[in-house]
Amino acid sequence: MEPILFKHTEIPDLDRLEVYVDHHGYAAFRRAITELQPQEVTQIVSDSGLAGRGGAGFPTGRKWSFIPKSVLPTYLVVNADESEPGAFKDRELMERNPHQLLEGVAIAAFAIGCQKAFIYIRGEFLYIGEILDAAVAEAYAAGYLGQNVFGSGYNIEIVVHRGAGAYICGEESALLDSLEGYRGFPRLRPPFPAIKGLYGQPTVINNVETIANVPHIVRNGADWYRSYGTDQSPGTKVCSISGPVNRPGNYEMNMGTTFRELLEDRAGGMREGKKLKAYIPGGASAPMLPGTEANIDISLSYEGYREAGSSFGSASFIIIPDDVCILRAQLSLSEFFAHESCGKCIPCREGTPWLAKTVRRIESGQGREEDLPLLLDICDNILGRSFCALGDFSTSNIVASVKYFYDEYEEHIRSQACPYAHQARAVA
Amino acid sequence: MAVLSVDALERIDTIVQKYPVKRSALLPVLHVAQNELGWVSREAMEEVADLLELDPDQVEEVASFYTMYYTDPVGTYVLEVCKTAPCSFMGAHEIIDYISETLGIQPGETTADGMFTLFRVECLAACHRAPMMQVNHRYYQDLTPEKVDALITAAQQLQLQTAAGSGFQIRKSWSEEVKTEG
C-alpha cells in the first residue's frame, strides 16, 4: 500500500512551498475553486467516506453539509490541539508537510463558504506554530492564499492560533471558547457549532489528519480513496504507537490491517525482555484491552475496536508492558483526567480526583475492601452527567482495568502492598 | 504602570488585527507578555486588559486557567517533565527524581539562584520519544541522566557568558533532532 498522507515526507524541504507544488501541491485546490461548485466538493468528500480522524469518526462530508447556505460569515476551525495521551500524529503531519494541511484548509473552507479559517494548535507546539506561520506566509506571497486566488474571485485567509495548555480545548466547543479568548469550557449543545459556533456563526471544526486527507480525495476522487481501507472505514489511518516497543512512532496504516502488523512489523515488536500485558488502542480515553492473541489480531478500524469493546479513537496505541503494575498505569491515567478536568461540571470536577485518590490508595497498599465497589460507583456517578465527554473518558479505563485485571486489584488490597517493584509516588 | 516594551506592543498590534473580535487575541497576547517578562504578573494582566478593552480580572481568569502561563515568577529555565502514562512506563519518574536530586529542588520549586524551575506536567504529545521534557517550551526527548546533565551544564555555562539568559541554544525542532539521531 502506498501511503497517502506520508507519501512525500521523505523528500527534502517538503515544508517549502515550491517543493510541495512540484509534487501536485495546490493542484486540488486550484481545481476545486476554478472548476467545481462548493457543494460538489462536499459531495466528493461525502462519497469518499472520510470520517473525523480526531477520535469521534463523524462523517466529514456530512458535517460540512450541516452548514446553512445563507448565514454569513461561516468559519472553519482546524483542531490541532493534540493532547490525548498516546497521540502525536498531527504534530508530525504538520511538521513534515504543512502545506498539505493548508491546502486541505483552503479546500474545506471553499466547500463551506468560509473566507477566514483558524488552525488552533496546542500552545506547547511552539515550533510547529513557527513552521505553519512560515508556510502560511509563503502561500500568501505566492498567491495561493489571500484575495482572488487563481483569479477565481475567492478570498481565503488562514490564522494560526496557539492555545496555552489545556487538554479540554481539544473538545470542540471548549476549543471555540478558548479561541474567543475565554477559559476553555465546553458549551451546551444544541445549538451545535454548525449552527452557532465561533462568534455565534456557523462553524465546522475538523481534525488535522481529516483535513490533510482532503486534497488527495479531491485530486484523485472518492472511488480512489475507497480503494483504501474497509467498507465501513475507508482510507488510511495514522497510528501512533508508544511504550517499550523497538520502533515507537507514527505509521500510516491501511484500515483493516491488524494491530499485529502495526506492533510486530512496523514498530518492530516488544523490546527485549518486555512482554505485552495490555494496550490502549485509541488514546487514554479508550478502554484498555489485555494483550491476548485475539486482541492482537483486531482489525485497525472503527468497527474492529467497537466490536472488541473498545474504541479506535485517534488510533493512539499505548503499550503497557508486563513489568508495569496495572494500578500504576491506571493511576497515571486517572491523575491525567483529574488534572485536566476543566471544573465546569461537578460530577467530573469532584469525581476525577476522587478516582485518582482511590486508585493511589489501593496501589500504595492501603486499599480497603470497599474501594473496588467505590471506584465503580464513582464511575456510575460521573458517566453521562457532564457537558462533554471528558468525565466519561475518565471512567473508561477504570472499568476496563477492573474488568480485565480484577485479580491485580484484589491482590493489592489483600496483601496491603504492591506486588511490583515500584509503588505510587506522591503526585502533585 | 506599563511593563511591555514598544516592540511587544507592536507585535500585539499585529496579532489583534488578525481577529474579527479583539478578545480572541487574548491567548496569543498573553504569550507575548510572558515571553517578554518570563511570567504574567498582575501589572502585565492590567496592561493586556487595557489593550484588549477587558477588565483585569477577566484576563486573570483566563491566565490562571491555562497551564502554560506562569502567574508566579519562575526560574530562567523552566524544566517541565511529562509524567503521563507512556512516559511513566519509560522512566519519567526516575528522570524527575534525578533532576530533583541534581538541582536540589522538588517539583514546583525554583533553585535559590533563580536559574531553574522544575514542574511535572501532563502529556506533551511526544510519547514515542519518552521520557521527555520541555525547557522554556522547547522539546527535549529520549532523556537519560547524561542528557539531563549536559543540558543543565550548558545552561549554567551560558548563564555565565550572558547577563540575561533568554533560552540556551537548543535544537530548534523535533525534525532536526530526528535527523541527527536517526
Side-chain angles (χ1 to χ4, degrees):
Chain A
M1 179 211 78
E2 194 180 44
I4 298 173
L5 300 173
F6 284 157
K7 186 174 175 187
H8 298 304
T9 45
E10 296 313 315
I11 293 163
D13 300 324
L14 185 64
D15 58 336
R16 286 179 37 221
L17 180 73
E18 60 196 68
V19 178
Y20 180 71
V21 169
D22 279 348
H23 295 86
H24 308 293
Y26 290 99
F29 179 42
R30 185 188 295 269
R31 173 170 178 245
I33 65 168
T34 56
E35 295 173 27
L36 300 174
Q37 293 300 313
Q39 53 271 31
E40 291 177 290
V41 175
T42 302
Q43 193 59 49
I44 293 170
V45 172
S46 287
D47 292 345
S48 76
L50 176 66
R53 298 293 194 241
F58 192 84
T60 307
R62 226 172 112 209
K63 198 183 238 188
W64 295 2
S65 71
F66 291 154
I67 294 292
K69 300 284 172 284
S70 53
V71 186
L72 291 173
T74 58
Y75 291 105
L76 172 71
V77 179
V78 178
N79 186 345
D81 189 57
E82 185 166 60
S83 311
E84 181 77 20
F88 44 87
K89 65 185 180 67
D90 295 337
R91 168 184 165 185
E92 187 165 357
L93 284 168
M94 291 187 282
E95 178 183 358
R96 291 183 185 269
N97 199 346
H99 286 288
Q100 176 175 263
L101 175 65
L102 298 187
E103 184 180 5
V105 172
I107 297 170
F110 173 70
I112 63 161
C114 153
Q115 303 204 342
K116 194 172 189 103
F118 294 90
I119 301 176
Y120 184 107
I121 60 168
R122 67 177 294 176
E124 293 88 347
F125 284 173
L126 184 59
Y127 75 95
I128 304 275
E130 292 163 357
I131 291 169
L132 289 178
D133 277 337
V136 168
E138 265 188 318
Y140 273 113
Y144 292 95
L145 297 176
Q147 304 288 311
N148 190 23
V149 181
F150 304 133
S152 66
Y154 179 62
N155 308 325
I156 175 66
E157 191 187 337
I158 299 178
V159 176
V160 179
H161 182 95
R162 266 178 70 218
Y167 169 71
I168 189 65
C169 293
E171 194 282 326
E172 62 178 20
S173 69
L175 184 152
L176 294 177
D177 264 22
S178 178
L179 182 49
E180 290 183 10
Y182 294 86
R183 286 183 165 209
F185 281 163
R187 296 178 180 178
L188 182 65
R189 281 150 291 187
F192 288 93
I195 306 303
K196 273 188 187 301
L198 187 63
Y199 312 124
Q201 295 299 118
T203 303
V204 162
I205 303 143
N206 279 143
N207 169 260
V208 168
E209 186 184 351
T210 314
I211 290 290
N213 271 294
V214 169
H216 303 281
I217 292 168
V218 170
R219 196 175 68 246
N220 300 308
D223 289 342
W224 165 85
Y225 193 69
R226 281 190 173 276
S227 71
Y228 288 87
T230 67
D231 279 353
Q232 290 182 56
S233 302
T236 62
K237 182 78 191 76
V238 179
C239 298
S240 305
I241 181 166
S242 62
V245 294
N246 285 310
R247 291 189 297 274
N250 287 313
Y251 299 98
E252 185 175 359
M253 306 295 289
N254 201 9
M255 295 260 212
T257 48
T258 61
F259 171 63
R260 185 183 298 280
E261 193 171 322
L262 173 66
L263 173 68
E264 294 176 2
D265 299 347
R266 308 298 288 275
M270 298 295 292
R271 285 195 188 174
E272 208 184 327
K274 302 276 184 184
K275 285 204 182 88
L276 179 67
K277 177 174 186 165
Y279 73 99
I280 299 176
S285 317
M288 64 176 73
L289 295 166
T292 59
E293 292 299 310
N295 284 337
I296 295 175
D297 282 320
I298 294 173
S299 136
L300 297 172
S301 61
Y302 296 103
E303 64 273 20
Y305 279 95
R306 202 165 42 230
E307 282 159 23
S310 185
S311 163
F312 194 42
S314 51
S316 311
F317 292 82
I318 303 173
I319 302 301
I320 305 175
D322 61 343
D323 57 355
V324 166
C325 163
I326 212 71
L327 276 98
R328 185 178 175 182
Q330 182 53 52
L331 179 58
S332 176
L333 298 170
S334 292
E335 280 174 346
F336 173 80
F337 288 112
H339 182 264
E340 299 297 344
S341 176
C342 77
K344 177 165 177 158
C345 312
I346 296 167
C348 174
R349 183 182 71 209
E350 300 299 320
T352 50
W354 197 3
L355 287 176
K357 187 178 148 190
T358 309
V359 174
R360 187 180 311 120
R361 185 163 60 230
I362 302 172
E363 154 42 23
S364 63
Q366 294 166 313
R368 307 165 306 190
E369 230 168 80
E370 61 267 34
D371 279 342
L372 269 173
L374 174 65
L375 276 177
L376 299 176
D377 187 50
I378 299 169
C379 288
D380 280 345
N381 281 290
I382 296 175
L383 205 59
R385 289 181 159 87
S386 303
F387 268 57
C388 81
L390 191 149
D392 295 359
F393 291 161
S394 76
T395 67
S396 56
N397 268 304
I398 297 268
V399 174
S401 64
V402 171
K403 178 175 162 191
Y404 296 122
F405 298 96
Y406 188 85
D407 290 352
E408 225 169 285
Y409 276 89
E410 229 183 9
E411 165 76 10
H412 276 81
I413 295 172
R414 196 176 43 74
S415 64
Q416 292 286 293
C418 175
Y420 289 81
H422 48 245
Q423 277 201 351
R425 285 153 193 267
V427 172
Chain B
M1 188 188 73
V3 290
L4 296 173
S5 69
V6 174
D7 181 53
L9 292 174
E10 275 172 16
R11 267 180 294 148
I12 288 171
D13 199 42
T14 313
I15 291 168
V16 171
Q17 307 287 329
K18 294 182 185 174
Y19 299 91
V21 175
K22 234 176 185 179
R23 181 167 182 156
S24 261
L26 181 51
L27 265 59
V29 167
L30 284 171
H31 282 307
V32 172
Q34 177 158 294
N35 274 350
E36 179 141 312
L37 308 168
W39 64 298
V40 186
S41 61
R42 179 69 190 183
E43 289 75 20
M45 291 179 201
E46 284 166 4
E47 192 169 347
V48 166
D50 201 37
L51 292 168
L52 299 181
E53 295 164 23
L54 296 169
D55 188 276
D57 287 347
Q58 290 176 307
V59 176
E60 184 163 6
E61 181 193 15
V62 168
S64 62
F65 180 79
Y66 295 93
T67 52
M68 285 183 76
Y69 302 127
Y70 309 123
T71 48
D72 289 303
V74 288
T76 309
Y77 303 106
V78 184
L79 282 58
E80 295 172 299
V81 189
C82 173
K83 68 169 184 68
T84 314
C87 277
S88 84
F89 302 156
M90 302 300 286
H93 292 291
E94 289 73 9
I95 287 289
I96 293 167
D97 284 352
Y98 183 79
I99 297 173
S100 202
E101 281 160 27
T102 306
L103 297 177
I105 50 172
Q106 291 302 308
E109 294 177 354
T110 300
T111 53
D113 60 2
M115 276 278 282
F116 299 101
T117 301
L118 173 63
F119 289 119
R120 271 188 294 236
V121 297
E122 296 294 351
C123 190
L124 294 172
C127 318
H128 57 325
R129 307 293 301 276
M132 63 80 63
M133 66 174 167
Q134 53 179 359
V135 181
N136 295 1
H137 301 130
R138 299 279 179 186
Y139 282 18
Y140 288 89
Q141 308 174 113
D142 301 319
L143 292 178
T144 58
E146 293 72 32
K147 276 195 182 181
V148 169
D149 285 342
L151 283 167
I152 290 173
T153 309
Q156 285 163 337
Q157 282 171 352
L158 194 80
Q159 190 69 2
L160 290 175
Q161 288 160 13
T162 58
S166 58
F168 49 89
Q169 276 302 310
I170 56 179
R171 279 162 296 193
K172 193 180 168 203
S173 83
W174 180 50
S175 61
E176 284 170 33
E177 204 170 338
V178 169
K179 277 170 201 157
T180 52
E181 294 178 14

